[in-house]
Amino acid sequence: MHAAASPPGPQTPQAYDTEFTLQLEKLRELLGTYLKAEDIERVAAAFRFSAEAHKGQFRISGDPYFSHPLAVTGILTGWHLDAQALMAALLHDVAEDTEITLAEIGEKFGKVTAELVDGVSKLDKIEFQSIEDAQAENFRKMLLAMARDVRVILIKLADRLHNMRTLEFVPHASRRRIAEETLDIYAPLAGRMGMQEMREELEDLSFHTLDPEAYAVVMQRLDALADRN
C-alpha cells in the first residue's frame, strides 16, 4: 500500500526524527544478535535514507509512511534475513513513492539491493481480480517465476502480512478484495514455502475481514475450549 496523498494531522520534523532515531536503535539491537557490524551499518544507512525519503508521507491510518517499511523489516529480522534483504525491505517503496530512482538505490546500496527492490515493485504492479482457484494456482506459479531471488517473495509476504495487520484502516470497499487476494494467493504461497505460522495468520486475518460474525463465533468457541483445559 502506498503513501496517502496528504497527512491527516500535523507532525513536526523534530518529532519524526526523534521517533525513528529511537526505532533505529531498537533495530540495531535486534540485528546485533546475528549480523556483522559492517552489515548493521549498511542496514542503518538504508534506514536513514528511506526515513528521509518518506518524510511527509503518511499511511491511511495516520502513521508516518516509513512505519510500514520499518515494520516489514522487523518481520524479516525475525526470520534472520541478510543485510541486502533488509535494505531492500526498508527501500521497497522508495522508488514507487518518491523521486528517487532504482539507479540511485543501486549506486548507494548496491546492484543486488536495487534488483530486490525492483522485484518487489514488479510484484506490486500485478493486480488480482477475483480469479478462480485454478487461476490462483497459476498466479502463485507466476509470482515464483517472476521472483528470481526467493528474498523478493519473502519481502512481499512480509509486506502483505503488515498490510493485513493494519487492514482496518483501508476503505471498506477495498478490504474484501485484499482479504480474498490474501486468502487465495499469499496464504497458500506462504504454506508452500514452509511458513505455516505465517499462512495461519494470513488466513486468520482474512477470515476476520471476510466474515467477522463467523470469526467471532469461532473465537468464542476456541476460548471456551481453552478455559476447559
Side-chain angles (χ1 to χ4, degrees):
M1 295 181 185
H2 299 299
S6 60
Q11 183 189 45
T12 65
Q14 292 83 0
Y16 183 91
D17 292 340
T18 298
E19 177 182 354
F20 288 112
T21 296
L22 293 173
Q23 294 294 336
L24 177 56
E25 291 311 307
K26 291 180 182 178
L27 181 61
R28 282 180 181 276
E29 289 181 16
L30 290 172
L31 298 180
T33 63
Y34 76 97
L35 283 185
K36 297 178 180 178
E38 57 266 34
D39 286 334
I40 294 174
E41 291 311 309
R42 293 166 65 205
V43 175
F47 179 109
R48 289 188 289 266
F49 186 88
S50 182
E52 184 63 30
H54 286 299
K55 185 178 288 188
Q57 297 179 339
F58 293 79
R59 304 197 87 206
I60 298 171
S61 64
D63 292 329
Y65 188 80
F66 182 64
S67 64
H68 170 64
L70 179 57
V72 173
T73 304
I75 293 169
L76 298 178
T77 299
W79 302 340
H80 284 196
L81 262 68
D82 62 15
Q84 289 174 331
L86 299 179
M87 289 190 291
L90 288 163
L91 300 163
H92 78 271
D93 281 329
V94 166
E96 293 291 320
D97 290 340
T98 76
E99 299 299 317
I100 295 164
T101 66
L102 279 171
E104 291 178 82
I105 291 173
E107 289 175 6
K108 291 181 178 295
F109 302 103
K111 179 181 177 181
V112 174
T113 298
E115 288 175 347
L116 292 173
V117 171
D118 187 39
V120 176
S121 296
K122 287 176 178 176
L123 293 188
D124 283 341
K125 291 175 183 176
I126 302 174
E127 293 188 358
F128 166 81
Q129 297 291 342
S130 299
I131 57 182
E132 300 297 330
D133 288 343
Q135 292 175 303
E137 174 65 18
N138 290 334
F139 191 94
R140 288 191 291 271
K141 290 179 180 177
M142 181 172 66
L143 288 180
L144 291 169
M146 285 184 63
R148 298 177 184 175
D149 191 319
V150 70
R151 291 175 294 181
V152 170
I153 295 292
L154 294 174
I155 295 167
K156 181 59 183 173
L157 285 172
D159 172 73
R160 176 53 58 117
L161 179 59
H162 183 247
N163 282 331
M164 286 299 296
R165 287 173 175 174
T166 55
L167 194 61
E168 74 264 27
F169 298 108
V170 174
H172 189 271
S174 300
R175 288 182 206 167
R176 187 171 190 87
R177 175 188 62 79
I178 295 170
E180 287 177 343
E181 176 180 303
T182 299
L183 193 60
D184 289 342
I185 301 298
Y186 292 102
L189 184 59
R192 174 171 294 183
M193 297 182 70
M195 306 168 73
Q196 295 304 323
E197 186 175 341
M198 168 174 266
R199 175 176 185 156
E200 290 173 5
E201 183 174 356
L202 290 173
E203 289 175 340
D204 190 62
L205 292 167
S206 299
F207 181 30
H208 180 265
T209 298
L210 295 170
D211 197 340
E213 293 183 2
Y215 177 85
V217 170
V218 170
M219 293 306 295
Q220 287 172 1
R221 291 177 179 174
L222 289 174
D223 288 342
L225 288 172
D227 290 340
R228 291 178 187 175
N229 295 331

